[in-house]
Amino acid sequence: MVFNSITQMRRMPIFSVLFLVIFLICGIFGSSLAPLDPTDGDLSRSLIPPFQDRNYPLGTDHLGRDILSRIICGARISMIVCIMVIFFAGSIGTVLALLSGYIGGKVDIIIMRIVDTMLSIPYMMIAIALAAILRPSLFNIIILLSILGWTGYARVIRGEVLRIKDSDFVKLAKIDGCSKTRILIHHIFPNIVNTLVILATLQVGAVIIIESSLSFLGLGVPPPAPSWGGMLADSRSYISNWWLSTFPGLTIMATVLSCNLLGEWLRLQMDPQFRQK
Amino acid sequence: MQRYILKRIFLAFVTIYLVTTLVFFLARITGDPMDLIMSAESTQKDWDMMRHQLGLDKPIYLQYTDFIAGVFIGNFGNSLRWDKPCLSLILVHLPATLQLTICALLFSWVFGISIGTLSAMRPNGLMDRFGKIFAMLGQSMPIFWVGILLILTFAVRWQIFPTSGRGGLLNLVLPSITLGWYTMASMTRMTRSSMLDVLDMEFIKMTRIKGLSEVLVICKHAFKNAMIPILTLGSLQVGILLGGSVITETIFSWPGMGRLMVQSVFSRDFPLIQACVIITSTIFITINLLVDITYGYIDPRIRYQ
Amino acid sequence: MGKKLLEVRDLKTHLFTRRGVIKAVDGVSFSVDKNETLGLVGESGCGKTITCLSILKLLPNPVGQIVGGKIIFDNVDLLSKSEKEMRKIRGRRISMILQDPMTSLDPLFTIGEQIAEPIRSHQNLERTNLRKKIIEMLKLVKISAPEARIKEYPFQMSGGMRQRIVGAIALSCQPDLLIADEPTTALDVTIQAQFMRLLKEIQQEFNMAMIMITHDFGIVAKVCDRVAVMYSGKIVESAGVRDLFNHPLHPYTKALMGALPKMEEDMEKLTTIDGQPPDLGHLPPGCNFAARCPEVKEICRCDSPILSEINDGHVVSCLRVQ
């Protein structure tokens, strides 16, 4: 068994974890880590190609701002949005799923109908509509992504709850005279934590992509705050200056890829039966 | 079968109705639409006039019934910016979006299903390894970056395809690849895994025992059985594509509904935003309905329920 | 004794898995005559099924590989045949019935279509004749109202009926050899006997040879002419059915027979075989059965026994007996 767990650890996507750690460090200490001020431009030094000027290793954008610094500082917005959205969406989704799965009946029907309805509106469409109504700001982006994000949790975890509710140990707990709340907190909740962790990891990637897509459309966190999506949006007017789009794009891809690989690995470790929705 | 179809159609109508309700309430719970419409300089008189014009001064239940009744007959109100009925504006822009979405869907299905199937036929083979990396990368790239990269290489550097606009077939290539990129990656993975599941089954062994050719085994038996999860994913992908069309159309200046929606967001055209969301959802729900009916034709167990 | 239809000589099939090479079939030899029924008996995992899939060359690809031996069917070595040639043999000359009727039919096609497939790919029949042939096959396996059943789907039928459909598919081209892989394990006891009787009848009608894979000596006694007992990838004893029942020589055979309930004895005496079959990836030296053998001797743990003929047609591989 020991041998088994070592081989499992060995398969851990080490690069993904490393990258995510760097992402977190950049998110927390962003402004002090960045070599230059991400918002301070110098028009005389605009559009310097990468790997040429020692001060600007990844080049500068059209306003002469350092791209590396902007990428490092842009991690903050993505990180805050991810953490908050996962917290809110995860909590709302889990609570509603527990209620829906455990109480059943009308509560279940109403909650699941809401979920189904939300899922039958194309995700991006409703995000854009909400973004329009809410006005772009960091806080509103979090609210909007949380309103959209809980449905995934609700669907998957409700299924888990239904399965666990039917299991022998819950039946035994009932025979033992445990109260409904006790069963819910002590017997059912610990058994869905694994699923919750996996869903959360897989959601990070989705949140980053949607957040940057909204920024790209100009509906995300308003400039001049550096955001990855916003950097790509700026780059469209200077498309032949390839470095403006390539580096932020690579950063987004690497972050999302790391989260997906880690989530996939966790999924295999914790529950081979778990299927992606 | 008839009962199954009727039930599905009924459910689709219920969902459209619920979507309409949800859009109505979400728009009003999360903020006052008036804030969106009016600019800072507008006077109190402007506010009152606009409120009255849009019927936002009525009690909420009356607004709701008016709204639902309007949607039912296809009346989404007038666009504030263009001063035309929203529906006719959308109908003008819809063909471009449908053309783009269908091309993207075809692109992602043709490539996704064939790469997935070939991967499943030889697990851990060359194709499988290539497909796995490819799908993983594909699922991690935001589509707006894909679009920019494609423009950068094929339109700016090599100048094979035009950078933007709608026109001939050449104009369609880059936007379709951009939009279909993500869905192709997920289709590849889904096809591979469901094909692997099916190929492992006893009845596939039985078809080989019968002495059927490999083409028949894969294309007739394995494929039809793998079709059900593939179709499920496919119908979900239509939603992703319709949403993604907003971004793709913005990148490539494609004159479709997505760009109309982004424009309406920036021009604070509240009725038009609502109409766009409801109509895209209706399209999405209709596609799901068609897929549900297709299930019935593929799987006799559903048909004879 | 008739003419030899199938002869398997020193067949070696290995499974190349991630954990190492498993010698699933390790030097198996047996033969089947025309019209004869050979029983292939052994615990699950002893290589019976892999042996039969090797004959059809339908091993899981690329895990299973035939690494040695000969499979001579009707005077031709099947191992030298191409995949295309094998396809002409499968279903037409050698056919197989799988264990679980619930999973061996494609749920999305009508049973008529599934019976039609092998006929279509092996024989040229026009539509009306094809339909006639399908109905004839359904009648053969005693399905009532065959005309209506053609359009039905597997999920509309019971397990016993499905297994008869599988039979109809396997028999549709009148094969010379039918391999039945525990065809009744998944069925109710009452239906088991019925299905066995049906197979036996059809065998006589078609002049067909059969390999019956089973772990049930009751079935062996009823339908088989000869028996080969397999243990961990090897044949340990082979004899005519009467000979084997009267004078079992190998301790494993005796143990298997002891595990069969007998009417006249006290039911409490039902014996079991202690221990598990050995891990085929890491075989110890000596006789594979030594660890579980009640009559084990010192020599069994270091020397491997070889198959040798004791009586006419009775071979056994045990150092103690030889």
Side-chain angles (χ1 to χ4, degrees):
Chain A
M1 277 291 83
V2 176
F3 175 69
N4 203 5
S5 66
I6 289 172
T7 48
Q8 280 170 350
M9 290 307 284
R10 223 178 261 154
R11 289 189 170 202
M12 187 165 80
I14 208 83
F15 284 105
S16 308
V17 176
L18 258 175
F19 191 85
L20 290 177
V21 170
I22 296 173
F23 169 62
L24 281 180
I25 293 174
C26 288
I28 297 167
F29 304 107
S31 42
S32 38
L33 272 179
L36 293 166
D37 186 338
T39 51
D40 187 26
D42 177 355
L43 282 176
S44 66
R45 296 182 154 274
S46 67
L47 298 172
I48 299 175
F51 318 122
Q52 288 188 1
D53 190 321
R54 188 177 284 228
N55 294 325
Y56 305 103
L58 297 184
T60 58
D61 67 2
H62 56 293
L63 297 175
R65 297 173 296 192
D66 178 33
I67 290 188
L68 178 67
S69 305
R70 283 180 73 72
I71 288 179
I72 292 176
C73 294
R76 167 159 291 178
I77 287 174
S78 295
M79 186 191 74
I80 295 175
V81 171
C82 277
I83 293 178
M84 298 307 272
V85 168
I86 284 168
F87 176 75
F88 286 124
S91 322
I92 302 172
T94 310
V95 170
L96 289 179
L98 285 172
L99 291 177
S100 173
Y102 198 66
I103 299 174
K106 271 186 190 152
V107 180
D108 186 32
I109 293 173
I110 292 173
I111 294 176
M112 287 330 283
R113 264 265 83 100
I114 295 177
V115 171
D116 285 345
T117 311
M118 303 241 335
L119 289 175
S120 41
I121 307 178
Y123 202 85
M124 216 44 220
M125 282 289 178
I126 194 168
I128 291 167
L130 279 176
I133 297 165
L134 284 168
R135 298 282 171 88
S137 78
L138 182 61
F139 178 74
N140 281 344
I141 291 288
I142 293 171
I143 300 272
L144 134 76
L145 289 179
S146 306
I147 292 176
L148 294 179
W150 65 273
T151 48
Y153 290 91
R155 257 239 297 233
V156 177
I157 291 180
R158 173 179 170 270
E160 289 283 286
V161 172
L162 286 180
R163 190 178 57 81
I164 297 166
K165 199 171 110 178
D166 236 24
S167 68
D168 287 340
F169 67 89
V170 171
K171 283 181 192 151
L172 283 175
K174 263 185 207 159
I175 295 168
D176 259 8
C178 287
S179 70
K180 274 194 171 179
T181 356
R182 202 186 147 75
I183 291 178
L184 208 52
I185 294 170
H186 286 268
H187 296 286
I188 293 184
F189 185 70
N191 281 294
I192 57 167
V193 171
N194 277 358
T195 313
L196 203 55
V197 171
I198 297 161
L199 282 176
T201 328
L202 290 173
Q203 203 194 13
V204 177
V207 169
I208 290 181
I209 287 198
I210 299 206
E211 184 265 328
S212 56
S213 302
L214 287 176
S215 296
F216 179 78
L217 289 174
L219 297 168
V221 181
S227 72
W228 297 342
M231 292 173 77
L232 276 162
D234 291 342
S235 80
R236 282 184 59 215
S237 324
Y238 305 90
I239 198 142
S240 48
N241 303 101
W242 57 271
W243 60 94
L244 294 193
S245 56
T246 306
F247 295 115
L250 275 177
T251 317
I252 298 176
M253 183 178 89
T255 316
V256 176
L257 184 64
S258 302
C259 295
N260 288 347
L261 286 173
L262 186 67
E264 200 87 337
W265 178 75
L266 282 172
R267 194 160 68 108
L268 282 173
Q269 297 312 306
M270 292 181 171
D271 188 359
Q273 300 298 315
F274 182 82
R275 295 249 178 241
Q276 231 174 320
K277 39 174 183 167
Chain B
M1 188 65 184
Q2 261 181 353
R3 261 188 64 193
Y4 172 77
I5 294 177
L6 285 176
K7 202 177 145 193
R8 290 288 128 182
I9 292 177
F10 174 73
L11 274 177
F13 272 107
V14 172
T15 317
I16 294 175
Y17 164 73
L18 288 175
V19 164
T20 315
T21 310
L22 192 76
V23 168
F24 177 84
F25 282 106
L26 271 181
R28 281 154 186 82
I29 288 170
T30 47
D32 186 349
M34 288 303 289
D35 284 339
L36 168 72
I37 298 161
M38 305 309 284
S39 62
E41 303 97 56
S42 34
T43 60
Q44 186 62 40
K45 209 180 148 201
D46 292 336
W47 274 76
D48 291 341
M49 251 181 69
M50 186 53 93
R51 209 178 265 283
H52 184 73
Q53 188 195 328
L54 292 175
L56 291 173
D57 53 348
K58 289 184 200 164
I60 192 93
Y61 67 89
L62 267 181
Q63 286 183 37
Y64 177 65
T65 43
D66 282 358
F67 183 65
I68 294 288
V71 170
F72 191 73
I73 53 165
N75 175 14
F76 294 90
N78 272 12
S79 155
L80 296 179
R81 185 181 165 193
W82 281 281
D83 200 31
K84 278 184 192 160
C86 292
L87 188 67
S88 61
L89 266 174
I90 290 176
L91 287 180
V92 171
H93 288 82
L94 195 59
T97 299
L98 287 183
Q99 184 193 25
L100 178 60
T101 315
I102 290 169
C103 285
L105 195 72
L106 282 178
F107 164 73
S108 70
W109 276 48
V110 167
F111 281 89
I113 291 177
S114 42
I115 297 175
T117 310
L118 289 174
S119 299
M121 280 165 71
R122 288 194 187 281
N124 289 322
L126 203 66
M127 192 66 187
D128 191 24
R129 271 165 215 206
F130 164 75
K132 237 184 227 167
I133 296 169
F134 176 72
M136 255 299 170
L137 287 182
Q139 282 193 309
S140 313
M141 289 165 85
I143 66 166
F144 49 93
W145 188 44
V146 176
I148 291 175
L149 277 183
L150 288 175
I151 293 179
L152 196 62
T153 34
F154 294 102
V156 176
R157 178 75 42 98
W158 291 335
Q159 307 194 335
I160 305 173
F161 300 109
T163 49
S164 63
R166 190 178 176 215
L169 276 177
L170 276 182
N171 288 62
L172 209 56
V173 177
L174 292 186
S176 307
I177 297 177
T178 305
L179 184 54
W181 187 261
Y182 174 84
T183 44
M184 174 178 65
S186 52
M187 185 50 88
T188 306
R189 298 188 64 184
M190 180 53 122
T191 309
R192 178 185 182 269
S193 75
S194 57
M195 263 300 197
L196 274 181
D197 284 349
V198 172
L199 286 176
D200 224 29
M201 298 213 186
E202 290 288 291
F203 63 79
I204 292 296
K205 207 191 269 173
M206 197 65 209
T207 56
R208 297 208 167 108
I209 289 170
K210 287 177 191 175
L212 298 194
S213 68
E214 204 59 20
V215 177
L216 272 181
V217 173
I218 300 282
C219 297
K220 186 173 170 189
H221 290 275
F223 192 68
K224 194 170 179 187
N225 276 279
M227 225 20 223
I228 291 168
I230 290 175
L231 265 181
T232 312
L233 181 77
S235 68
L236 288 177
Q237 284 183 340
V238 173
I240 296 173
L241 290 176
L242 285 171
S245 69
V246 179
I247 293 167
T248 315
E249 288 177 11
T250 308
I251 303 173
F252 289 94
S253 311
W254 190 265
M257 209 170 104
R259 212 163 64 121
L260 182 70
M261 174 143 177
V262 174
Q263 282 167 353
S264 66
V265 166
F266 285 113
S267 57
R268 306 172 162 200
D269 200 338
F270 182 68
L272 190 53
I273 298 174
Q274 276 186 336
C276 280
V277 175
I278 292 172
I279 287 181
T280 351
S281 308
T282 309
I283 296 172
F284 185 31
I285 294 165
T286 314
I287 303 276
N288 282 336
L289 171 70
L290 293 178
V291 168
D292 275 348
I293 293 173
T294 319
Y295 284 156
Y297 280 104
I298 292 181
D299 193 337
R301 287 163 292 188
I302 294 174
R303 192 160 59 227
Y304 286 93
Q305 247 171 18
Chain C
M1 283 255 228
K3 207 173 138 250
K4 268 182 192 164
L5 178 70
L6 174 82
E7 191 179 1
V8 175
R9 265 189 236 151
D10 200 28
L11 178 72
K12 286 186 175 138
T13 304
H14 294 181
L15 304 178
F16 296 88
T17 66
R18 209 176 276 174
R19 282 189 213 143
V21 179
I22 294 173
K23 296 177 178 173
V25 179
D26 191 15
V28 162
S29 304
F30 60 84
S31 64
V32 187
D33 293 341
K34 282 188 176 159
N35 250 332
E36 184 190 42
T37 306
L38 174 77
L40 206 53
V41 189
E43 286 165 290
S44 23
C46 71
K48 296 169 294 186
T49 305
I50 299 286
T51 307
C52 291
L53 288 178
S54 304
I55 296 171
L56 283 164
K57 293 218 279 182
L58 279 176
L59 293 161
N61 190 24
V63 178
Q65 301 282 351
I66 299 173
V67 293
K70 280 199 161 75
I71 298 171
I72 294 159
F73 177 74
D74 209 14
N75 297 323
V76 195
D77 188 1
L78 293 185
L79 296 185
S80 64
K81 295 240 171 193
S82 69
E83 175 62 23
K84 207 176 163 190
E85 290 168 316
M86 275 312 290
R87 224 175 277 140
K88 285 183 187 154
I89 290 173
R90 284 180 209 135
R92 185 161 78 177
R93 306 215 53 199
I94 308 178
S95 203
M96 188 163 170
I97 297 179
L98 298 172
Q99 207 178 92
D100 187 359
M102 304 313 267
T103 56
S104 47
L105 291 171
D106 190 329
L108 304 186
F109 290 87
T110 60
I111 60 151
E113 173 62 22
Q114 297 193 53
I115 299 175
E117 279 182 321
I119 305 172
R120 216 183 279 139
S121 52
H122 296 301
Q123 293 167 2
N124 265 330
L125 283 181
E126 26 167 323
R127 273 186 91 106
T128 43
N129 284 339
L130 184 64
R131 200 185 134 84
K132 240 182 247 165
K133 174 90 184 171
I134 298 167
I135 291 171
E136 189 188 304
M137 288 317 297
L138 286 173
K139 276 184 188 150
L140 182 77
V141 293
K142 305 211 166 118
I143 297 275
S144 53
E147 287 84 356
R149 292 287 181 187
I150 279 189
K151 288 192 199 107
E152 288 194 3
Y153 289 90
F155 76 98
Q156 293 164 304
M157 304 185 166
S158 68
M161 253 158 94
R162 287 193 207 193
Q163 195 63 311
R164 277 182 276 158
I165 302 288
V166 176
I169 294 172
L171 296 167
S172 56
C173 297
Q174 302 209 2
D176 303 307
L177 173 67
L178 177 73
I179 302 168
D181 184 0
E182 307 200 17
T184 56
T185 323
L187 301 181
D188 287 344
V189 184
T190 45
I191 298 171
Q192 281 186 8
Q194 201 186 342
F195 187 75
M196 279 300 168
R197 215 175 306 132
L198 181 69
L199 271 187
K200 204 70 199 162
E201 275 174 38
I202 295 171
Q203 179 185 22
Q204 265 147 26
E205 199 180 321
F206 280 13
N207 282 331
M208 178 176 73
M210 257 201 302
I211 298 178
M212 176 71 62
I213 303 181
T214 178
H215 52 247
D216 183 348
F217 267 106
I219 291 174
V220 172
K222 261 177 243 150
V223 297
C224 297
D225 304 312
R226 260 176 342 105
V227 194
V229 181
M230 256 185 106
Y231 184 75
S232 66
K234 289 191 167 82
I235 289 188
V236 293
E237 184 167 7
S238 164
V241 78
R242 190 157 293 170
D243 202 5
L244 190 88
F245 271 91
N246 292 337
H247 311 286
L249 290 173
H250 198 281
Y252 180 63
T253 316
K254 291 181 199 164
L256 275 184
M257 286 179 177
L260 192 74
K262 293 194 182 81
M263 278 314 200
E264 60 268 31
E265 280 175 30
D266 201 343
M267 285 302 273
E268 279 166 34
K269 272 189 188 164
L270 197 63
T271 49
T272 55
I273 309 174
D274 291 330
Q276 289 291 315
D279 180 359
L280 292 174
H282 309 273
L283 283 175
C287 173
N288 289 341
F289 190 56
R292 302 166 76 188
C293 185
E295 304 166 39
V296 67
K297 284 181 172 175
E298 209 44 55
I299 187 171
C300 299
R301 298 196 197 275
C302 32
D303 274 8
S304 298
I306 40 163
L307 267 181
S308 46
E309 193 153 358
I310 304 294
N311 288 320
D312 183 35
H314 193 152
V315 291
V316 67
S317 136
C318 179
L319 293 166
R320 213 186 38 79
V321 178
Q322 286 155 12

